[in-house]
Amino acid sequence: MKIYSWKQLIWALVIVYLPLLIIGILFNCLTELLLAAFSAHIIWHYYYLKKLNDWLWLSKSTVLPQGRSEWEHAFTGIHNMQQRHRKRRNKLADVISRFREGSEALPDAVVVFRKEGQIIWCNRLAQFQLGFKWPEDSGENITNLIRHPDFVGYLKADNFHEPLDLTSPINPDKILEFRVMPYAKHQRLLIVRDVTSYRQMDEMRRQFVANVSHELRTPLTVLQGYIEILEMQTEENSYQSKAVTVLDQQTTRMCSLVEQLMTLSKIEGAPSIDLDQHVDVPALLTQIKNEAVALGDKKVMSVEFEIQDDLLLLGDQMQLRSVMANLVYNAINYTPAKGSVKVVWRSSAQGAYFCVTDNGDGIAPEHILHLTERFYRVDTSRSRDTGGSGLGLSIVKHALTHYDSELNIESTLGEGSRFFFVIPQNYLA
Ligand code: ADP
């Protein structure tokens, strides 16, 4: 780009004023001549300034006015700047229209809003699914349109790691999943998906498992009764007696499997825990300890409990018992004779800390991530010996989600394992 330099400016002045100076001195009329020249110069500048002002403020034409000398330079500069702005604006408009087209093509409702809540933009699905009106709702606070207290709390908490499920604000039969993510500077992007059919299918599966387990209970109880009678009637060490023992073992296994399935579907189905109930965890752990010590004695192993007596929780006794008992019994079951198991229940900076450590079999790293999946067992035959179904840790995982907590597993094959979790402060009684 050509730059109009001081040198050029001075040259232009010299070319105009030097001949005038010479003529003025020669004819002895320097003052009059310079005055006339200055006046003409000022008029010339005012003429172009007016031209520029008219073009900037009055004319709608995009064609620049013609200029001379430094004015030509200034006009070209303005023209170039305008071109650059136009190009940048077109590019930006292109990006926005691409973003809008993309958002319209999504099968989800999309809303962009400011951190403080004012809606900036929404796609067409947001108008169908959330009942937004566009452009009337532009600038409206999102919490005035989605008034559900859980949604307001979700935005306030500013923690968007987990999505939020809510009934639709315009159709109570629909379940919507709300996901919020930080977007651009001080903005939020809300994506809303209709998950009614997923949730219904999930509920159907849970109901089915709960019903089947419940229906299996009665025939199993009848079977157990007859097996007990058979046990009394068969001669010791006879072929029938061995068969009855196997029958007894297998029905007991089936009973425990049915119990675990029922516990799991009950925990999965519970919407949230009742925080009005106090759970005396130390008393609960003392019960588990008595059972665990009896189990441990059979295997000649040391079972140690370190319990903080005043650390009580709010919530559901059945769920907490399932969590703690499953972890303690697993440690005993998967630790060979002469091993040791230590259970700790104490307060920590984050809340209540529960930990079970053993020096038993340990678990290979590739299995650790899958342990909480339903029916996952590392060694099927070993688990069968211990009466394991592969549901225990799945129950633990689900129950802990009700307490905003998660199970942590550290283990080294052949050396032992550590299963632990922390229940946050707000669940402490
Ligand atoms: P199971 O009813 O088979 O014990 P779980 O869900 O409780 O099912 O455990 C899943 C698998 O995790 C078990 O089959 C076992 O292989 C492994 N496991 C659980 N706890 C321990 C432990 N303390 N030490 C070693 N392996 C364990």
Side-chain angles (χ1 to χ4, degrees):
M1 195 174 45
K2 249 169 85 185
I3 292 174
Y4 202 73
S5 65
W6 280 110
K7 211 168 130 189
Q8 276 172 297
L9 196 72
I10 290 164
W11 263 116
L13 288 175
V14 168
I15 288 168
V16 175
Y17 285 97
L18 192 65
L20 289 178
L21 267 174
I22 297 166
I23 295 168
I25 293 166
L26 280 179
F27 294 97
N28 204 16
C29 57
L30 187 62
T31 320
E32 293 83 351
L33 208 60
L34 278 182
L35 203 68
F38 285 145
S39 309
H41 207 158
I42 288 171
I43 291 167
W44 182 78
H45 274 301
Y46 267 107
Y47 168 73
Y48 282 112
L49 196 61
K50 171 92 174 64
K51 235 176 158 185
L52 178 66
N53 261 316
D54 285 353
W55 177 74
L56 282 177
W57 298 103
L58 303 175
S59 162
K60 287 197 174 93
S61 160
T62 50
V63 183
L64 267 178
Q66 289 290 322
R68 298 209 134 261
S69 180
E70 58 257 52
W71 281 104
E72 186 189 2
H73 238 87
F75 287 159
T76 319
I78 292 172
H79 179 71
N80 288 348
M81 205 161 72
Q82 237 186 5
Q83 290 290 325
R84 273 203 310 275
H85 280 179
R86 198 164 298 145
K87 259 191 208 151
R88 223 176 284 163
R89 204 179 48 206
N90 288 348
K91 235 187 220 169
L92 216 65
D94 220 41
V95 171
I96 293 173
S97 87
R98 267 212 307 272
F99 166 79
R100 289 193 173 173
E101 276 167 24
S103 311
E104 291 295 357
L106 281 176
D108 306 325
V110 180
V111 184
V112 179
F113 59 98
R114 272 185 230 292
K115 201 175 167 202
E116 297 74 31
Q118 294 90 356
I119 297 172
I120 296 172
W121 180 81
C122 73
N123 70 353
R124 217 145 30 94
L125 258 179
Q127 298 163 48
F128 289 123
Q129 277 189 350
L130 303 169
F132 286 12
K133 290 192 185 76
W134 200 254
E136 293 89 322
D137 288 337
S138 165
E140 185 71 52
N141 198 302
I142 193 159
T143 49
N144 289 341
L145 303 175
I146 308 172
R147 289 168 173 266
H148 201 294
D150 287 357
F151 181 73
V152 178
Y154 184 61
L155 287 189
K156 235 186 205 164
D158 210 29
N159 177 3
F160 306 121
H161 291 302
E162 293 292 324
L164 175 74
D165 279 7
L166 289 178
T167 46
S168 157
I170 51 169
N171 182 353
D173 292 337
K174 273 192 176 174
I175 302 167
L176 302 178
E177 183 192 77
F178 290 72
R179 269 181 190 278
V180 176
M181 43 225 91
Y183 172 75
K185 214 176 175 190
H186 306 306
Q187 288 178 24
R188 299 277 182 265
L189 181 74
L190 169 69
I191 296 185
V192 183
R193 175 172 297 184
D194 184 352
V195 289
T196 317
S197 54
Y198 299 115
R199 298 292 176 268
Q200 277 171 347
M201 252 153 57
D202 223 37
E203 181 58 20
M204 265 162 62
R205 180 193 56 76
R206 202 188 57 73
Q207 285 282 349
F208 177 75
V209 173
N211 290 343
V212 168
S213 326
H214 189 76
E215 290 304 319
L216 278 173
R217 235 169 149 191
T218 322
L220 275 173
T221 316
V222 175
L223 265 179
Q224 271 186 319
Y226 280 109
I227 289 169
E228 261 175 45
I229 296 171
L230 277 176
E231 259 174 348
M232 286 189 280
Q233 287 176 351
T234 47
E235 284 173 32
E236 254 184 67
N237 292 328
S238 66
Y239 172 72
Q240 281 95 335
S241 139
K242 281 180 193 156
V244 171
T245 310
V246 174
L247 267 178
D248 185 33
Q249 282 169 354
Q250 293 305 319
T251 32
T252 309
R253 244 196 96 203
M254 227 159 135
C255 281
S256 117
L257 182 63
V258 165
E259 283 301 328
Q260 283 203 307
L261 273 173
M262 283 179 62
T263 311
L264 183 57
S265 52
K266 233 186 252 169
I267 291 174
E268 274 187 319
S272 60
I273 43 174
D274 179 5
L275 290 180
D276 291 336
Q277 301 285 328
H278 281 58
V279 182
D280 187 348
V281 179
L284 195 74
L285 280 172
T286 310
Q287 280 174 19
I288 297 175
K289 180 181 169 182
N290 293 336
E291 292 158 15
V293 169
L295 256 178
D297 281 350
K298 273 192 213 160
K299 289 174 83 176
V300 203
M301 61 194 291
S302 120
V303 182
E304 193 190 328
F305 275 68
E306 185 190 311
I307 306 169
Q308 184 177 325
D309 286 332
D310 59 352
L311 190 57
L312 273 66
L313 286 184
L314 299 170
D316 186 301
Q317 166 131 354
M318 181 278 279
Q319 292 193 15
L320 284 168
R321 193 192 149 79
S322 293
V323 169
M324 294 173 173
N326 264 307
L327 295 178
V328 174
Y329 298 156
N330 270 353
I332 292 173
N333 284 333
Y334 297 102
T335 301
K338 298 206 177 84
S340 67
V341 170
K342 186 170 181 194
V343 180
V344 173
W345 172 246
R346 61 170 161 77
S347 53
S348 76
Q350 287 81 30
Y353 170 76
F354 182 79
C355 176
V356 182
T357 317
D358 66 62
N359 62 356
D361 300 349
I363 306 152
E366 66 269 22
H367 294 296
I368 292 183
L369 271 182
H370 302 285
L371 289 183
T372 52
E373 289 168 13
R374 286 184 190 89
F375 297 108
Y376 191 89
R377 285 169 290 179
V378 175
D379 179 348
T380 323
S381 56
R382 173 94 172 78
S383 282
R384 203 174 293 129
D385 293 345
T386 63
S389 58
L391 286 172
L393 293 182
S394 188
I395 292 174
V396 174
K397 176 187 152 183
H398 276 92
L400 286 181
T401 54
H402 289 310
Y403 288 88
D404 301 324
S405 176
E406 60 179 1
L407 180 65
N408 298 286
I409 307 169
E410 288 171 0
S411 187
T412 312
L413 197 59
E415 287 185 18
S417 319
R418 193 161 88 97
F419 289 74
F420 62 100
F421 59 83
V422 176
I423 305 265
Q425 297 274 3
N426 46 324
Y427 294 100
L428 302 190

